[in-house]
Amino acid sequence: MSGDPDMGIGDRSMPPRSSFSNKIHTSRSYTYGTTMNPLRRILIVSLLALLPSAAFAGKTPNLSLKDLSGQTQKLSSLKGQIVVLNFWATWCGPCQEELPRLSAMAQKYAGKNVHFVAVSIDAPKDRSKIEPLIHKLNVNLDVWSGADADTLDRFGLGNIVPATIVIDDQGKIVTRIMGEARNEDVSTTVDWLLGGRSGAAPEAKIKRY
């Protein structure tokens, strides 16, 4: 896992091996015929390398999950607001450091057109740990569960948590933050959107691992 540029290095932010290993193997495995013309092989490899950025540019997948009370929540229902969508898990150490900071940021933007959501990718057997941990960390965010490794892939985030995306009020992804986000990674994009997109556009993709 550590050799892939879309995945974290070190054990602190890596999911349990059983969670993502098969997914990673499948998504990175391409097979070419041994008799393929070398120039054609280079062309195909080049095109495959371009697919992720082209497929995920600005695209926001549909997302329907459960909140802590068991009610269905849809990402599409937040259209019209700037959304900070954070992916995390109870077994992820950096997530536990990041969530309280995001909660504090949400308070900073209270009263503005910004909505923070913490999306757990915990497996069903671990979901009972979510609410106690949220209370322990004193996190005051909307929390949804039911996401998984496929969800991360669909959002163009690779297979690592924490990961965060900032979505504009039209439902388009503006910034992806892969790894533990710094406050300025989030606030730069949010402030730019709140300011009517004045000035230089924020980075579309930030890696913090």
Side-chain angles (χ1 to χ4, degrees), residues 1 6 31 43 48 63 65 67-68 70-71 82 86 99 101 103 108 110 112 125 134 141 148 183 196 203 207:
M1 183 178 296
D6 282 343
T31 303
L43 176 60
L48 286 169
L63 193 63
L65 301 171
D67 63 20
L68 293 179
Q71 299 298 310
I82 297 166
N86 174 257
L99 282 171
R101 295 202 310 271
S103 182
K108 170 187 172 184
K112 299 182 180 180
K125 66 182 180 64
I134 288 296
L141 295 173
D148 55 22
N183 284 4
E203 293 183 67
K207 289 188 178 182

Side-chain angles (χ1 to χ4, degrees), residues 55-113:
F56 296 126
K59 183 179 180 182
T60 306
N62 294 324
L63 193 63
S64 180
L65 301 171
K66 300 286 187 181
D67 63 20
L68 293 179
S69 66
Q71 299 298 310
T72 298
Q73 300 291 339
K74 295 184 177 182
L75 182 58
S76 59
S77 70
L78 299 179
K79 189 173 182 180
Q81 302 177 67
I82 297 166
V83 179
V84 178
L85 196 67
N86 174 257
F87 293 91
W88 70 286
T90 57
W91 42 258
C92 166
C95 299
Q96 296 185 36
E97 297 175 9
E98 182 184 56
L99 282 171
R101 295 202 310 271
L102 291 174
S103 182
M105 290 188 70
Q107 294 303 309
K108 170 187 172 184
Y109 288 107
K112 299 182 180 180
N113 194 35

Side-chain angles (χ1 to χ4, degrees), residues 101-102 105 181-188:
R101 295 202 310 271
L102 291 174
M105 290 188 70
R182 299 173 183 172
N183 284 4
E184 60 266 26
D185 295 338
V186 176
S187 63
T188 296

Side-chain angles (χ1 to χ4, degrees), residues 183-201:
N183 284 4
E184 60 266 26
D185 295 338
V186 176
S187 63
T188 296
T189 301
V190 171
D191 291 344
W192 181 74
L193 291 170
L194 288 173
R197 302 174 186 258
S198 176

